[in-house]
Amino acid sequence: KPGGIIALLDETCMLRNSNHEIFAEKLYQKFKDNPHFSRPKFSRSDFTIHHYAGNVTYQTDLFLDKNIDYAVNEHQDLLHASTCPFVSSLFPPSEESTKSSKSTKFTSIGSSFKQQLQGLLETLSGTEPHYMRCIKPNNVLKPAIFENSNVLQQLRCGGVLEAIRISCLGYPTRRTFEEFVDRFSVLRPEVLGLRYDEVTATNMLLEKVNLTGYQIGKTKVFLRAGQMAELDARRTEVLSYSASKIQRKVRSFLARRNFIQLRMSSVQLQAMCRGQIARHYYEDLRRKAASLKIQTYYRMHFARKNYKDLYSASTTIQSALRGMAARNEFHFRQQTKAAVTIQSCCRSDLASSRYMGLKKAAITTQCAWRGRLARRELRKLKMAAKESGALQAAKNKLEKQVEELTWRLQLEKRMRTDMEEAKTQENKKLQQQLQELQFQSKETKDILRREQENAKTALEKAALVPEIQVDTTHVDKLTAENENLKTLVVSLETKIDETEQKFEEMKKAREELLKKATDAESKINGLTNTMLSFQEKLTNMEAENQLLRQQALLHSRLKTISENTSPKSNSTNGSPLHVEQMTPHGTPRAPKDYGNFAHPRASFSERQHESVDALINCVTENIGFSEGKPVAAITIYKCLVHWKIFETEKTSVFDRLIQIFGSAMQES
């Protein structure tokens, strides 16, 4: 441009007394805001230009001298007119030489460089250039040596990498519509029809692949970098899939044809083999049927003959055996019935006798000891009924005794359960022994019956066949065994009778022990009832004592107030002042007439005890119902509400009622 670096260089060269520092200052002032121009930090006359291939720093020391050192026009014309073609080509005729030689216009190397550059741009714009780059693989100029860093530096300085980047940013791949459709029509075969033109077919193919960023021109399609490779990859996929599909169809056709041929031949072979096998099988069946028919007739004749012989002998034997079996069965049922009755009696008697033998002494001693303790405690309670402290101690002792009694009852129950378990085990053992004895007796009877049958059969055979001599020794042995078995049966029957007697004795002892246990339980229930009544009396006494103390305190306070209000009257009469006695704790002592309040309160407590006893007697009796409601339950509830028993913290009325209900349920 007119205001560029070359124009400033020519302008500086035309001025006198100019040097490279002046040229550098002009550049700094004019191009300080240009992004492609910069000034080095540690130099006064250098400048840096930011080319697209990289930054280049220039030194302006000899710029002016080299720019003025130009060739004279006459010299150029002379050398151009040389007969040597090489020399004449080096100095072509310039435009300034064609003009008048008298012109005094300033010329420089920079201006000629601009003209040459402009001519190059014009030729480039009028043609389609193809750039060639020569790259040296190494600096030694020898084969088989490749320097990576040197080659990369040459590509970067030559602008090849930048040119590639710029082409990638644009549309490096360009194809005509016809070539594009012809190559990629396999992606969508329907575009080959006549109803689609080349542009629509190209758009359909690109939409099928889902590409973005492409451009459609008038005659060509412009693709981004890498899109052509993607299209080729999709094309190879479609072609490989189509090839595999064709191969699959061809292989299936060939395999099917071979299979049909093999199947036809195998069917024919199978038909022949099966026919031969069926003929042999039919012949075997005929032979088997004939042999079976012969066997059936022969067996039928032989079986009929044997049957007639056996029938005549079995009818005579069965008539005798059935009578004997019926008699034996009748005797056996009588024996089993007697054994069952004996077992039931023996089991109960054995269990009761053992249990009662163990518990008899313990229950009698416990009952006597408990009665003695209860009578002793009753005497103590009667002696200490007037003092509240003694009553409290008696109450505690009674509670401990009640706890001990309950604990002992639980122990007795556990011991009873243990004894019952032991009885059940003994009963099981006795049952097993009886069953074994019965089984032995049954076996002996069966052996006797079998021996008798064998003897009878032997005698019958001897009678039927007189020629056979009878072995008398064998018969004697059988009779001796029968007698031994009879003695065993008799001994077993005696053992069974003895076990029945033991069982009856144990049953009687068990009943006696049960009676004694029930009596002891009734005595214990009576003692617990008395204990509960004593507890209720103690609680009532404590309540009365509290009321009496409160009344005594109120009475003493009223006396002190009256004495404080009337001191003059006491002084005039000459009577001494009443000094109230105090306890060590600071509370006033009870007055002398403290015991006078006890008599009416005691009568009230007695009346309350009488009413509670009447209520409990009412519960024990069967009063019945009134209008579908139980009379006893209604009276109990109203009495308890009237006595305010629900508001007290502790009372024995509920315990007595619950105990009465439990004992009534046990009796029922």
Side-chain angles (χ1 to χ4, degrees), residues 111-154:
S111 61
S112 63
F113 176 72
K114 281 181 66 175
Q115 291 175 3
Q116 292 174 5
L117 186 61
Q118 188 174 2
L120 178 62
L121 289 171
E122 289 176 357
T123 56
L124 288 173
S125 62
T127 58
E128 184 177 357
H130 295 278
Y131 297 98
M132 305 288 290
R133 292 288 186 274
C134 295
I135 297 170
K136 293 190 292 182
N138 54 34
N139 293 325
V140 188
L141 301 177
K142 289 183 179 180
I145 298 173
F146 189 82
E147 296 177 356
N148 294 330
S149 60
N150 192 9
V151 172
L152 185 64
Q153 186 66 24
Q154 291 179 35

mmCIF file of all heavy atoms in Angstrom, residues 111-154:
data_model
loop_
_atom_site.group_PDB
_atom_site.id
_atom_site.type_symbol
_atom_site.label_atom_id
_atom_site.label_comp_id
_atom_site.label_asym_id
_atom_site.label_seq_id
_atom_site.Cartn_x
_atom_site.Cartn_y
_atom_site.Cartn_z
ATOM 1 N N SER A 111 10.654 -0.597 -4.853
ATOM 2 C CA SER A 111 9.583 -0.337 -5.810
ATOM 3 C C SER A 111 9.530 -1.422 -6.870
ATOM 4 O O SER A 111 8.437 -1.873 -7.269
ATOM 5 C CB SER A 111 9.789 1.041 -6.440
ATOM 6 O OG SER A 111 11.027 1.078 -7.128
ATOM 7 N N SER A 112 10.705 -1.881 -7.335
ATOM 8 C CA SER A 112 10.711 -2.969 -8.324
ATOM 9 C C SER A 112 10.161 -4.262 -7.701
ATOM 10 O O SER A 112 9.455 -5.050 -8.355
ATOM 11 C CB SER A 112 12.134 -3.186 -8.854
ATOM 12 O OG SER A 112 12.983 -3.590 -7.782
ATOM 13 N N PHE A 113 10.458 -4.480 -6.418
ATOM 14 C CA PHE A 113 9.919 -5.667 -5.734
ATOM 15 C C PHE A 113 8.401 -5.591 -5.649
ATOM 16 O O PHE A 113 7.684 -6.587 -5.835
ATOM 17 C CB PHE A 113 10.543 -5.770 -4.347
ATOM 18 C CG PHE A 113 9.983 -6.902 -3.526
ATOM 19 C CD1 PHE A 113 10.301 -8.231 -3.838
ATOM 20 C CD2 PHE A 113 9.137 -6.664 -2.467
ATOM 21 C CE1 PHE A 113 9.793 -9.264 -3.081
ATOM 22 C CE2 PHE A 113 8.634 -7.695 -1.721
ATOM 23 C CZ PHE A 113 8.961 -9.008 -2.028
ATOM 24 N N LYS A 114 7.880 -4.408 -5.409
ATOM 25 C CA LYS A 114 6.431 -4.234 -5.366
ATOM 26 C C LYS A 114 5.805 -4.530 -6.712
ATOM 27 O O LYS A 114 4.757 -5.183 -6.799
ATOM 28 C CB LYS A 114 6.070 -2.816 -4.930
ATOM 29 C CG LYS A 114 6.181 -2.582 -3.432
ATOM 30 C CD LYS A 114 5.798 -1.170 -3.047
ATOM 31 C CE LYS A 114 4.343 -0.909 -3.313
ATOM 32 N NZ LYS A 114 3.919 0.416 -2.848
ATOM 33 N N GLN A 115 6.441 -4.074 -7.787
ATOM 34 C CA GLN A 115 5.897 -4.316 -9.126
ATOM 35 C C GLN A 115 5.908 -5.801 -9.455
ATOM 36 O O GLN A 115 4.934 -6.340 -9.995
ATOM 37 C CB GLN A 115 6.725 -3.529 -10.152
ATOM 38 C CG GLN A 115 6.535 -2.013 -10.052
ATOM 39 C CD GLN A 115 7.458 -1.256 -10.981
ATOM 40 O OE1 GLN A 115 8.212 -1.875 -11.760
ATOM 41 N NE2 GLN A 115 7.414 0.076 -10.934
ATOM 42 N N GLN A 116 7.019 -6.465 -9.103
ATOM 43 C CA GLN A 116 7.081 -7.897 -9.360
ATOM 44 C C GLN A 116 6.020 -8.656 -8.545
ATOM 45 O O GLN A 116 5.371 -9.601 -9.021
ATOM 46 C CB GLN A 116 8.470 -8.420 -9.020
ATOM 47 C CG GLN A 116 9.567 -7.922 -9.948
ATOM 48 C CD GLN A 116 10.936 -8.353 -9.481
ATOM 49 O OE1 GLN A 116 11.056 -9.098 -8.509
ATOM 50 N NE2 GLN A 116 11.973 -7.873 -10.182
ATOM 51 N N LEU A 117 5.830 -8.239 -7.296
ATOM 52 C CA LEU A 117 4.830 -8.897 -6.440
ATOM 53 C C LEU A 117 3.423 -8.680 -6.964
ATOM 54 O O LEU A 117 2.579 -9.588 -6.955
ATOM 55 C CB LEU A 117 4.947 -8.371 -5.008
ATOM 56 C CG LEU A 117 4.081 -9.056 -3.940
ATOM 57 C CD1 LEU A 117 4.436 -10.525 -3.828
ATOM 58 C CD2 LEU A 117 4.256 -8.375 -2.593
ATOM 59 N N GLN A 118 3.169 -7.481 -7.501
ATOM 60 C CA GLN A 118 1.852 -7.195 -8.048
ATOM 61 C C GLN A 118 1.596 -8.039 -9.286
ATOM 62 O O GLN A 118 0.500 -8.565 -9.494
ATOM 63 C CB GLN A 118 1.737 -5.707 -8.368
ATOM 64 C CG GLN A 118 0.324 -5.275 -8.775
ATOM 65 C CD GLN A 118 0.223 -3.767 -8.936
ATOM 66 O OE1 GLN A 118 1.245 -3.066 -8.765
ATOM 67 N NE2 GLN A 118 -0.936 -3.277 -9.255
ATOM 68 N N GLY A 119 2.642 -8.182 -10.130
ATOM 69 C CA GLY A 119 2.482 -9.024 -11.315
ATOM 70 C C GLY A 119 2.236 -10.480 -10.939
ATOM 71 O O GLY A 119 1.445 -11.189 -11.580
ATOM 72 N N LEU A 120 2.918 -10.950 -9.875
ATOM 73 C CA LEU A 120 2.705 -12.328 -9.420
ATOM 74 C C LEU A 120 1.285 -12.540 -8.935
ATOM 75 O O LEU A 120 0.650 -13.562 -9.225
ATOM 76 C CB LEU A 120 3.706 -12.644 -8.309
ATOM 77 C CG LEU A 120 3.605 -14.042 -7.676
ATOM 78 C CD1 LEU A 120 3.858 -15.122 -8.713
ATOM 79 C CD2 LEU A 120 4.574 -14.174 -6.520
ATOM 80 N N LEU A 121 0.748 -11.554 -8.223
ATOM 81 C CA LEU A 121 -0.632 -11.677 -7.740
ATOM 82 C C LEU A 121 -1.621 -11.697 -8.892
ATOM 83 O O LEU A 121 -2.627 -12.424 -8.852
ATOM 84 C CB LEU A 121 -0.964 -10.538 -6.782
ATOM 85 C CG LEU A 121 -0.277 -10.586 -5.412
ATOM 86 C CD1 LEU A 121 -0.530 -9.290 -4.647
ATOM 87 C CD2 LEU A 121 -0.782 -11.765 -4.604
ATOM 88 N N GLU A 122 -1.344 -10.918 -9.933
ATOM 89 C CA GLU A 122 -2.241 -10.910 -11.091
ATOM 90 C C GLU A 122 -2.238 -12.263 -11.802
ATOM 91 O O GLU A 122 -3.298 -12.789 -12.174
ATOM 92 C CB GLU A 122 -1.825 -9.804 -12.052
ATOM 93 C CG GLU A 122 -2.126 -8.397 -11.515
ATOM 94 C CD GLU A 122 -1.603 -7.308 -12.449
ATOM 95 O OE1 GLU A 122 -0.978 -7.684 -13.460
ATOM 96 O OE2 GLU A 122 -1.835 -6.120 -12.144
ATOM 97 N N THR A 123 -1.044 -12.836 -11.977
ATOM 98 C CA THR A 123 -0.984 -14.163 -12.604
ATOM 99 C C THR A 123 -1.633 -15.233 -11.744
ATOM 100 O O THR A 123 -2.301 -16.149 -12.246
ATOM 101 C CB THR A 123 0.482 -14.547 -12.870
ATOM 102 O OG1 THR A 123 1.207 -14.473 -11.638
ATOM 103 C CG2 THR A 123 1.115 -13.614 -13.877
ATOM 104 N N LEU A 124 -1.459 -15.130 -10.436
ATOM 105 C CA LEU A 124 -2.088 -16.113 -9.557
ATOM 106 C C LEU A 124 -3.603 -16.026 -9.583
ATOM 107 O O LEU A 124 -4.305 -17.039 -9.537
ATOM 108 C CB LEU A 124 -1.590 -15.946 -8.125
ATOM 109 C CG LEU A 124 -0.156 -16.372 -7.838
ATOM 110 C CD1 LEU A 124 0.236 -15.983 -6.429
ATOM 111 C CD2 LEU A 124 0.023 -17.859 -8.032
ATOM 112 N N SER A 125 -4.108 -14.811 -9.616
ATOM 113 C CA SER A 125 -5.563 -14.646 -9.653
ATOM 114 C C SER A 125 -6.151 -15.110 -10.968
ATOM 115 O O SER A 125 -7.309 -15.524 -11.020
ATOM 116 C CB SER A 125 -5.920 -13.178 -9.396
ATOM 117 O OG SER A 125 -5.370 -12.372 -10.422
ATOM 118 N N GLY A 126 -5.369 -15.072 -12.028
ATOM 119 C CA GLY A 126 -5.872 -15.507 -13.329
ATOM 120 C C GLY A 126 -5.705 -16.990 -13.572
ATOM 121 O O GLY A 126 -6.205 -17.490 -14.588
ATOM 122 N N THR A 127 -5.026 -17.729 -12.744
ATOM 123 C CA THR A 127 -4.783 -19.165 -12.933
ATOM 124 C C THR A 127 -5.185 -19.931 -11.671
ATOM 125 O O THR A 127 -5.579 -19.340 -10.659
ATOM 126 C CB THR A 127 -3.285 -19.418 -13.223
ATOM 127 O OG1 THR A 127 -2.526 -18.908 -12.131
ATOM 128 C CG2 THR A 127 -2.854 -18.723 -14.516
ATOM 129 N N GLU A 128 -5.094 -21.276 -11.734
ATOM 130 C CA GLU A 128 -5.344 -22.151 -10.577
ATOM 131 C C GLU A 128 -4.009 -22.682 -10.093
ATOM 132 O O GLU A 128 -3.453 -23.618 -10.676
ATOM 133 C CB GLU A 128 -6.251 -23.308 -10.958
ATOM 134 C CG GLU A 128 -6.624 -24.192 -9.776
ATOM 135 C CD GLU A 128 -7.599 -25.295 -10.167
ATOM 136 O OE1 GLU A 128 -8.031 -25.337 -11.326
ATOM 137 O OE2 GLU A 128 -7.913 -26.123 -9.274
ATOM 138 N N PRO A 129 -3.408 -22.119 -9.048
ATOM 139 C CA PRO A 129 -2.048 -22.495 -8.643
ATOM 140 C C PRO A 129 -2.026 -23.817 -7.878
ATOM 141 O O PRO A 129 -2.986 -24.186 -7.208
ATOM 142 C CB PRO A 129 -1.619 -21.350 -7.729
ATOM 143 C CG PRO A 129 -2.901 -20.856 -7.146
ATOM 144 C CD PRO A 129 -3.957 -21.040 -8.204
ATOM 145 N N HIS A 130 -0.929 -24.500 -8.007
ATOM 146 C CA HIS A 130 -0.638 -25.716 -7.250
ATOM 147 C C HIS A 130 0.724 -25.525 -6.624
ATOM 148 O O HIS A 130 1.718 -25.371 -7.326
ATOM 149 C CB HIS A 130 -0.625 -26.944 -8.166
ATOM 150 C CG HIS A 130 -1.963 -27.235 -8.774
ATOM 151 N ND1 HIS A 130 -2.967 -27.917 -8.110
ATOM 152 C CD2 HIS A 130 -2.482 -26.912 -9.990
ATOM 153 C CE1 HIS A 130 -4.026 -28.024 -8.884
ATOM 154 N NE2 HIS A 130 -3.757 -27.405 -10.056
ATOM 155 N N TYR A 131 0.762 -25.517 -5.304
ATOM 156 C CA TYR A 131 1.986 -25.196 -4.583
ATOM 157 C C TYR A 131 2.823 -26.449 -4.387
ATOM 158 O O TYR A 131 2.308 -27.513 -4.025
ATOM 159 C CB TYR A 131 1.652 -24.576 -3.224
ATOM 160 C CG TYR A 131 0.914 -23.267 -3.337
ATOM 161 C CD1 TYR A 131 -0.466 -23.212 -3.209
ATOM 162 C CD2 TYR A 131 1.619 -22.095 -3.580
ATOM 163 C CE1 TYR A 131 -1.135 -22.018 -3.329
ATOM 164 C CE2 TYR A 131 0.957 -20.897 -3.692
ATOM 165 C CZ TYR A 131 -0.419 -20.850 -3.571
ATOM 166 O OH TYR A 131 -1.087 -19.673 -3.688
ATOM 167 N N MET A 132 4.079 -26.325 -4.622
ATOM 168 C CA MET A 132 5.053 -27.404 -4.430
ATOM 169 C C MET A 132 6.062 -26.939 -3.389
ATOM 170 O O MET A 132 6.572 -25.826 -3.467
ATOM 171 C CB MET A 132 5.779 -27.751 -5.737
ATOM 172 C CG MET A 132 4.843 -28.108 -6.883
ATOM 173 S SD MET A 132 4.071 -29.706 -6.682
ATOM 174 C CE MET A 132 5.477 -30.754 -6.927
ATOM 175 N N ARG A 133 6.364 -27.795 -2.440
ATOM 176 C CA ARG A 133 7.323 -27.472 -1.404
ATOM 177 C C ARG A 133 8.430 -28.525 -1.402
ATOM 178 O O ARG A 133 8.143 -29.728 -1.354
ATOM 179 C CB ARG A 133 6.657 -27.451 -0.014
ATOM 180 C CG ARG A 133 5.670 -26.335 0.191
ATOM 181 C CD ARG A 133 6.360 -24.981 0.325
ATOM 182 N NE ARG A 133 5.438 -23.924 0.655
ATOM 183 C CZ ARG A 133 4.723 -23.226 -0.232
ATOM 184 N NH1 ARG A 133 4.857 -23.501 -1.513
ATOM 185 N NH2 ARG A 133 3.904 -22.283 0.154
ATOM 186 N N CYS A 134 9.645 -28.055 -1.453
ATOM 187 C CA CYS A 134 10.799 -28.941 -1.382
ATOM 188 C C CYS A 134 11.373 -28.865 0.034
ATOM 189 O O CYS A 134 11.729 -27.784 0.496
ATOM 190 C CB CYS A 134 11.873 -28.538 -2.407
ATOM 191 S SG CYS A 134 11.319 -28.745 -4.112
ATOM 192 N N ILE A 135 11.466 -29.990 0.689
ATOM 193 C CA ILE A 135 11.892 -30.037 2.093
ATOM 194 C C ILE A 135 13.130 -30.910 2.180
ATOM 195 O O ILE A 135 13.178 -32.022 1.634
ATOM 196 C CB ILE A 135 10.770 -30.600 2.986
ATOM 197 C CG1 ILE A 135 9.548 -29.670 2.947
ATOM 198 C CG2 ILE A 135 11.240 -30.788 4.424
ATOM 199 C CD1 ILE A 135 8.323 -30.226 3.577
ATOM 200 N N LYS A 136 14.143 -30.392 2.854
ATOM 201 C CA LYS A 136 15.370 -31.156 3.055
ATOM 202 C C LYS A 136 15.202 -32.051 4.293
ATOM 203 O O LYS A 136 14.890 -31.559 5.364
ATOM 204 C CB LYS A 136 16.553 -30.217 3.272
ATOM 205 C CG LYS A 136 16.911 -29.394 2.045
ATOM 206 C CD LYS A 136 18.237 -28.669 2.243
ATOM 207 C CE LYS A 136 18.096 -27.585 3.306
ATOM 208 N NZ LYS A 136 19.383 -26.845 3.468
ATOM 209 N N PRO A 137 15.414 -33.372 4.160
ATOM 210 C CA PRO A 137 15.246 -34.265 5.320
ATOM 211 C C PRO A 137 16.339 -34.099 6.353
ATOM 212 O O PRO A 137 16.133 -34.391 7.523
ATOM 213 C CB PRO A 137 15.251 -35.656 4.712
ATOM 214 C CG PRO A 137 16.002 -35.516 3.446
ATOM 215 C CD PRO A 137 15.743 -34.138 2.926
ATOM 216 N N ASN A 138 17.558 -33.632 5.937
ATOM 217 C CA ASN A 138 18.649 -33.435 6.882
ATOM 218 C C ASN A 138 19.576 -32.361 6.358
ATOM 219 O O ASN A 138 19.510 -31.979 5.180
ATOM 220 C CB ASN A 138 19.411 -34.739 7.129
ATOM 221 C CG ASN A 138 19.898 -35.371 5.834
ATOM 222 O OD1 ASN A 138 20.256 -34.695 4.862
ATOM 223 N ND2 ASN A 138 19.913 -36.687 5.804
ATOM 224 N N ASN A 139 20.416 -31.866 7.219
ATOM 225 C CA ASN A 139 21.382 -30.836 6.832
ATOM 226 C C ASN A 139 22.692 -31.414 6.302
ATOM 227 O O ASN A 139 23.520 -30.698 5.748
ATOM 228 C CB ASN A 139 21.690 -29.941 8.034
ATOM 229 C CG ASN A 139 20.479 -29.123 8.456
ATOM 230 O OD1 ASN A 139 19.689 -28.707 7.597
ATOM 231 N ND2 ASN A 139 20.323 -28.898 9.755
ATOM 232 N N VAL A 140 22.909 -32.700 6.443
ATOM 233 C CA VAL A 140 24.146 -33.345 5.966
ATOM 234 C C VAL A 140 24.048 -33.721 4.501
ATOM 235 O O VAL A 140 25.058 -34.009 3.836
ATOM 236 C CB VAL A 140 24.443 -34.590 6.839
ATOM 237 C CG1 VAL A 140 25.808 -35.199 6.528
ATOM 238 C CG2 VAL A 140 24.390 -34.225 8.310
ATOM 239 N N LEU A 141 22.823 -33.727 3.945
ATOM 240 C CA LEU A 141 22.557 -34.082 2.548
ATOM 241 C C LEU A 141 22.991 -35.514 2.268
ATOM 242 O O LEU A 141 23.696 -35.812 1.294
ATOM 243 C CB LEU A 141 23.250 -33.110 1.592
ATOM 244 C CG LEU A 141 22.857 -31.626 1.743
ATOM 245 C CD1 LEU A 141 23.655 -30.750 0.791
ATOM 246 C CD2 LEU A 141 21.382 -31.438 1.516
ATOM 247 N N LYS A 142 22.540 -36.455 3.152
ATOM 248 C CA LYS A 142 22.833 -37.867 2.972
ATOM 249 C C LYS A 142 21.529 -38.653 3.061
ATOM 250 O O LYS A 142 20.573 -38.226 3.719
ATOM 251 C CB LYS A 142 23.812 -38.349 4.048
ATOM 252 C CG LYS A 142 25.224 -37.829 3.875
ATOM 253 C CD LYS A 142 26.152 -38.410 4.936
ATOM 254 C CE LYS A 142 27.580 -37.896 4.746
ATOM 255 N NZ LYS A 142 28.486 -38.464 5.771
ATOM 256 N N PRO A 143 21.491 -39.799 2.359
ATOM 257 C CA PRO A 143 20.244 -40.589 2.385
ATOM 258 C C PRO A 143 20.062 -41.319 3.719
ATOM 259 O O PRO A 143 20.998 -41.475 4.495
ATOM 260 C CB PRO A 143 20.443 -41.564 1.227
ATOM 261 C CG PRO A 143 21.917 -41.736 1.127
ATOM 262 C CD PRO A 143 22.513 -40.396 1.456
ATOM 263 N N ALA A 144 18.797 -41.783 3.915
ATOM 264 C CA ALA A 144 18.419 -42.601 5.090
ATOM 265 C C ALA A 144 18.607 -41.867 6.410
ATOM 266 O O ALA A 144 18.819 -42.481 7.446
ATOM 267 C CB ALA A 144 19.192 -43.911 5.117
ATOM 268 N N ILE A 145 18.549 -40.519 6.381
ATOM 269 C CA ILE A 145 18.621 -39.724 7.619
ATOM 270 C C ILE A 145 17.448 -38.758 7.593
ATOM 271 O O ILE A 145 17.297 -37.986 6.642
ATOM 272 C CB ILE A 145 19.955 -38.961 7.728
ATOM 273 C CG1 ILE A 145 21.138 -39.948 7.785
ATOM 274 C CG2 ILE A 145 19.952 -38.090 8.977
ATOM 275 C CD1 ILE A 145 22.490 -39.283 7.717
ATOM 276 N N PHE A 146 16.646 -38.802 8.628
ATOM 277 C CA PHE A 146 15.454 -37.947 8.687
ATOM 278 C C PHE A 146 15.435 -37.260 10.045
ATOM 279 O O PHE A 146 15.358 -37.915 11.081
ATOM 280 C CB PHE A 146 14.184 -38.792 8.506
ATOM 281 C CG PHE A 146 12.941 -37.972 8.346
ATOM 282 C CD1 PHE A 146 12.602 -37.437 7.112
ATOM 283 C CD2 PHE A 146 12.105 -37.736 9.429
ATOM 284 C CE1 PHE A 146 11.452 -36.695 6.971
ATOM 285 C CE2 PHE A 146 10.966 -36.985 9.284
ATOM 286 C CZ PHE A 146 10.632 -36.465 8.040
ATOM 287 N N GLU A 147 15.498 -35.915 10.021
ATOM 288 C CA GLU A 147 15.508 -35.112 11.240
ATOM 289 C C GLU A 147 14.115 -34.511 11.434
ATOM 290 O O GLU A 147 13.682 -33.680 10.643
ATOM 291 C CB GLU A 147 16.570 -34.016 11.145
ATOM 292 C CG GLU A 147 17.989 -34.563 11.046
ATOM 293 C CD GLU A 147 19.020 -33.454 10.887
ATOM 294 O OE1 GLU A 147 18.583 -32.290 10.781
ATOM 295 O OE2 GLU A 147 20.226 -33.757 10.863
ATOM 296 N N ASN A 148 13.459 -34.949 12.487
ATOM 297 C CA ASN A 148 12.053 -34.542 12.701
ATOM 298 C C ASN A 148 11.936 -33.051 12.983
ATOM 299 O O ASN A 148 11.085 -32.348 12.406
ATOM 300 C CB ASN A 148 11.465 -35.327 13.872
ATOM 301 C CG ASN A 148 11.347 -36.803 13.559
ATOM 302 O OD1 ASN A 148 11.170 -37.162 12.402
ATOM 303 N ND2 ASN A 148 11.455 -37.645 14.569
ATOM 304 N N SER A 149 12.755 -32.556 13.876
ATOM 305 C CA SER A 149 12.652 -31.137 14.252
ATOM 306 C C SER A 149 12.977 -30.227 13.076
ATOM 307 O O SER A 149 12.319 -29.184 12.863
ATOM 308 C CB SER A 149 13.595 -30.856 15.421
ATOM 309 O OG SER A 149 14.939 -31.150 15.046
ATOM 310 N N ASN A 150 13.980 -30.607 12.259
ATOM 311 C CA ASN A 150 14.355 -29.781 11.088
ATOM 312 C C ASN A 150 13.232 -29.748 10.070
ATOM 313 O O ASN A 150 12.900 -28.689 9.515
ATOM 314 C CB ASN A 150 15.635 -30.341 10.478
ATOM 315 C CG ASN A 150 16.251 -29.377 9.466
ATOM 316 O OD1 ASN A 150 15.821 -28.233 9.337
ATOM 317 N ND2 ASN A 150 17.263 -29.837 8.731
ATOM 318 N N VAL A 151 12.626 -30.896 9.794
ATOM 319 C CA VAL A 151 11.525 -30.956 8.818
ATOM 320 C C VAL A 151 10.325 -30.174 9.326
ATOM 321 O O VAL A 151 9.668 -29.436 8.575
ATOM 322 C CB VAL A 151 11.156 -32.425 8.544
ATOM 323 C CG1 VAL A 151 9.895 -32.514 7.692
ATOM 324 C CG2 VAL A 151 12.300 -33.138 7.848
ATOM 325 N N LEU A 152 10.015 -30.287 10.619
ATOM 326 C CA LEU A 152 8.882 -29.543 11.179
ATOM 327 C C LEU A 152 9.123 -28.045 11.108
ATOM 328 O O LEU A 152 8.203 -27.261 10.807
ATOM 329 C CB LEU A 152 8.656 -29.982 12.625
ATOM 330 C CG LEU A 152 7.443 -29.404 13.338
ATOM 331 C CD1 LEU A 152 6.161 -29.854 12.664
ATOM 332 C CD2 LEU A 152 7.421 -29.833 14.803
ATOM 333 N N GLN A 153 10.365 -27.607 11.338
ATOM 334 C CA GLN A 153 10.689 -26.184 11.242
ATOM 335 C C GLN A 153 10.539 -25.690 9.812
ATOM 336 O O GLN A 153 10.037 -24.590 9.566
ATOM 337 C CB GLN A 153 12.123 -25.945 11.745
ATOM 338 C CG GLN A 153 12.524 -24.489 11.820
ATOM 339 C CD GLN A 153 11.722 -23.730 12.870
ATOM 340 O OE1 GLN A 153 11.218 -24.319 13.813
ATOM 341 N NE2 GLN A 153 11.581 -22.421 12.687
ATOM 342 N N GLN A 154 10.949 -26.501 8.834
ATOM 343 C CA GLN A 154 10.789 -26.112 7.427
ATOM 344 C C GLN A 154 9.317 -26.003 7.047
ATOM 345 O O GLN A 154 8.917 -25.070 6.336
ATOM 346 C CB GLN A 154 11.495 -27.138 6.535
ATOM 347 C CG GLN A 154 13.019 -27.104 6.648
ATOM 348 C CD GLN A 154 13.681 -28.140 5.768
ATOM 349 O OE1 GLN A 154 13.190 -28.408 4.683
ATOM 350 N NE2 GLN A 154 14.794 -28.689 6.226
#
